Amino acid sequence: MNGFCAGRVSVDPDLLSQHGVLHAAAMKRTADAHVLAERIVEQGREDAERLLTEARSAAQQAVFDAESRVLEQGMLLQQGMDAAMAGLLEQAQDIVAGLAGTLYDRLLLQTTDGEKIAAACRHLLREAPPKLVNALLRLHPADMPPPDGLPWPCEADPALEPGSCKLEAGSGEWRVDLSAAASALRQALAALPARHEAQADS
């Protein structure tokens, strides 16, 4: 460097001189290019942020749609399970009703006449009020003599059905008929499946 130079002019390295000469027009175009480049970079950033926001929104919507489908499928599955359980319970009720009727019939067949009339008299003891006036127990002749421990006198009455008994007193009358009770129970158990079907249809 010459000794008379006081300083050096620094030039943007991106500026290219033509034949070693820098023109003002070239410097202006270079400045405009810098401004345009900054604008392009800024636009690129804005576009990237917008695309990222749209991608996040699309992802959230996809997750929401997937959750909605899963919930809907879960509800359908629960409804199917509820319907299957209801059908199973109805079938179980029919099976239990039939089994109860069969067991009751078997119990009656295995119960002796003496045990039946004793059970009928015990039922009268529970149902009738204490200290009856002019109480009289009536049994079918085939069921005589009466069970032990009854507080009432007893007479044979051929008008009664075997296995039934009647207690007469000044304040009322009480009757027990095991055969009629067994028949009513059989009818009620047999009617259960039809009743369930009618409720299901309604």
Side-chain angles (χ1 to χ4, degrees):
M1 176 189 271
N2 296 329
F4 65 87
C5 291
R8 181 186 294 272
V9 177
S10 60
V11 180
D12 192 330
D14 293 333
L15 292 177
L16 298 178
S17 60
Q18 295 179 352
H19 307 293
V21 179
L22 292 174
H23 298 280
M27 296 180 67
K28 183 177 185 306
R29 284 197 299 272
T30 302
D32 292 341
H34 279 296
V35 173
L36 181 59
E38 290 176 358
R39 290 179 181 175
I40 291 174
V41 171
E42 183 64 24
Q43 185 65 41
R45 289 197 187 99
E46 293 177 358
D47 291 343
E49 291 179 359
R50 177 177 53 79
L51 291 175
L52 182 59
T53 301
E54 292 176 355
R56 287 174 179 169
S57 178
Q60 292 176 352
Q61 185 64 39
V63 171
F64 177 77
D65 293 342
E67 290 177 348
S68 299
R69 287 194 300 271
V70 170
L71 289 175
E72 184 178 357
Q73 292 174 357
M75 292 177 62
L76 292 175
L77 180 60
Q78 183 65 43
Q79 292 174 357
M81 291 178 63
D82 291 343
M85 184 61 68
L88 181 61
L89 289 177
E90 288 183 2
Q91 294 176 2
Q93 289 176 350
D94 297 343
I95 293 172
V96 169
L99 182 60
T102 302
L103 291 177
Y104 189 75
D105 290 340
R106 183 177 300 176
L107 178 64
L108 287 179
L109 290 175
Q110 294 175 350
T111 305
T112 64
D113 294 338
E115 291 172 339
K116 292 177 183 177
I117 197 64
C121 291
R122 286 195 299 271
H123 185 76
L124 279 180
L125 281 172
R126 290 193 301 269
E127 294 295 325
K131 299 180 181 180
L132 292 174
V133 178
N134 299 325
L136 177 64
L137 177 65
R138 297 183 180 274
L139 301 176
H140 188 271
D143 296 327
M144 296 292 288
D148 296 332
L150 294 177
W152 317 294
C154 184
E155 290 184 1
D157 187 349
L160 294 175
E161 294 292 330
S164 64
C165 58
K166 181 172 66 172
L167 178 63
E168 297 175 344
S171 56
E173 177 180 300
W174 295 264
R175 184 186 296 264
V176 176
D177 189 341
L178 292 182
S179 298
S183 177
L185 179 60
R186 288 192 201 94
Q187 293 177 0
L189 292 175
L192 281 178
R195 186 180 306 170
H196 290 314
E197 292 178 359
Q199 291 176 351
D201 294 338
S202 62

